[in-house]
Amino acid sequence: MEIVLAPDVFVRMRDTPWDARAFGRPTRDITDLMLACETGNAVGLDDDLFHRLAERLDADGVGLVTARLPADRRAAIGRLQAAGFRYVETAYRLGLRNLGRYEPPARITRRVALREAVAADHAALIEQAADSFRYGRFAEDPQIDPALNRRRQIDWMEGLLAGRARVWVAEVDGGPGAFMAFRTEGAEADLILAGTRPKLGILAYPLWIAVIDRLRAEGIERARTVISAANLGVVNLYGTLGFRFEEALVGLHLHRS
């Protein structure tokens, strides 16, 4: 759905049912946005755009609108904040190219084997999703109750296991000690969600290296992901593994009563 006032003054959105199920009200994500304050048009167009946006959100009963913009779009970020959006996170978009030539850090010698997740793994993976993740759009928004974020994490993992992604696990003591959920398109992999069982953080580096090795064996040439800048452990992990930090994103939320 979109609201267009001029070729370069518009907002495009999508429904986000995966957020709405946890939030208890319709939710939307801004997928594309261009404002007059960025393009030299009359700034009054932005006022008109946000007025029409509010009318549409009211009519549809939307309780939360989310957005992520490149951090260098400062004028647009400032205008969104003036319209009631609040800063909730900084995220990094990362990429790893040329998987065929990838060499893991020499100091990381431990290796793990991966297998496809099976039905017997689901309960443990859902429990881990519920209790282990402290970063991300919902977790870092101070206006969102932690219990709501927990419900969203459970719903997210259930969806991934239901076929929205492939899930590989590294088995420890008869169950998943670590996992990676991802999708592939052509020669590129999108790393969606990963983690280790509590007290098994030592598996983080071996897990990612095993994932890269197996993706390469399947003909994947590039991997990408998005991570929270607040999660310093994961930031350091990806930096050590050789991922390139390609873009910083600013996350904004508009809560509506």
Side-chain angles (χ1 to χ4, degrees):
M1 62 195 69
E2 63 180 12
I3 301 171
V4 180
L5 297 190
D8 51 1
V9 181
F10 60 83
V11 59
R12 298 189 177 98
M13 299 173 289
R14 61 174 177 168
D15 290 323
T16 52
W18 48 90
D19 290 342
R21 283 191 291 271
F23 201 70
R25 291 182 62 189
T27 57
R28 287 191 180 146
D29 182 56
I30 292 176
T31 58
D32 200 4
L33 172 78
M34 188 61 65
L35 298 178
C37 64
E38 300 179 283
T39 60
N41 283 301
V43 293
L45 284 174
D46 288 342
D47 295 331
D48 293 342
L49 182 69
F50 284 111
H51 178 71
R52 291 182 57 182
L53 173 62
E55 290 182 329
R56 177 74 64 85
L57 298 174
D58 283 340
D60 296 341
V62 174
L64 174 67
V65 183
T66 64
R68 271 180 176 159
L69 272 67
D72 59 3
R73 291 184 63 184
R74 296 180 184 87
I77 292 167
R79 188 62 188 84
L80 283 167
Q81 290 178 313
F85 284 77
R86 296 292 178 261
Y87 168 84
V88 296
E89 60 156 358
T90 298
Y92 293 129
R93 194 185 307 278
L94 310 179
L96 182 65
R97 303 179 182 180
N98 300 321
L99 263 64
R101 300 174 59 185
Y102 180 75
E103 293 290 339
R107 66 180 178 82
I108 302 170
T109 57
R110 181 168 181 169
R111 294 292 182 266
V112 297
L114 299 177
R115 60 170 175 78
E116 299 281 350
V118 297
D121 300 319
H122 289 192
L125 291 170
I126 291 167
E127 180 181 1
Q128 183 176 330
D131 297 330
S132 301
F133 294 98
R134 300 292 181 263
Y135 300 95
R137 295 183 299 116
F138 268 46
E140 294 178 50
D141 186 336
Q143 291 186 248
I144 292 179
D145 189 288
L148 190 153
N149 177 61
R150 187 176 189 274
R151 290 196 299 273
R152 181 180 177 273
Q153 291 294 138
I154 291 172
D155 184 72
W156 192 10
M157 179 58 78
E158 288 176 340
L160 296 174
L161 293 170
R164 295 178 192 158
R166 292 177 65 186
V167 181
W168 287 337
V169 301
E171 186 171 312
V172 176
D173 297 329
F179 76 92
M180 174 69 75
F182 67 97
R183 299 187 188 98
T184 58
E185 182 177 351
E188 188 165 273
D190 180 16
L191 309 181
I192 301 168
L193 185 65
T196 65
R197 192 191 304 168
K199 300 183 180 180
L200 286 179
I202 193 173
L203 295 181
Y205 283 100
L207 169 70
W208 265 261
I209 291 170
V211 167
I212 293 168
D213 285 344
R214 187 151 170 185
L215 289 173
R216 177 172 53 194
E218 294 192 1
I220 300 299
E221 299 172 2
R222 299 174 300 280
R224 65 177 188 270
T225 193
V226 176
I227 63 172
S228 168
N231 191 349
L232 295 181
V234 170
V235 170
N236 289 331
L237 182 149
Y238 277 105
T240 300
L241 290 174
F243 278 73
R244 180 180 179 182
F245 287 68
E246 298 178 340
E247 187 175 36
L249 303 168
V250 171
L252 303 162
H253 284 181
L254 175 65
H255 288 269
R256 311 186 78 253
S257 57

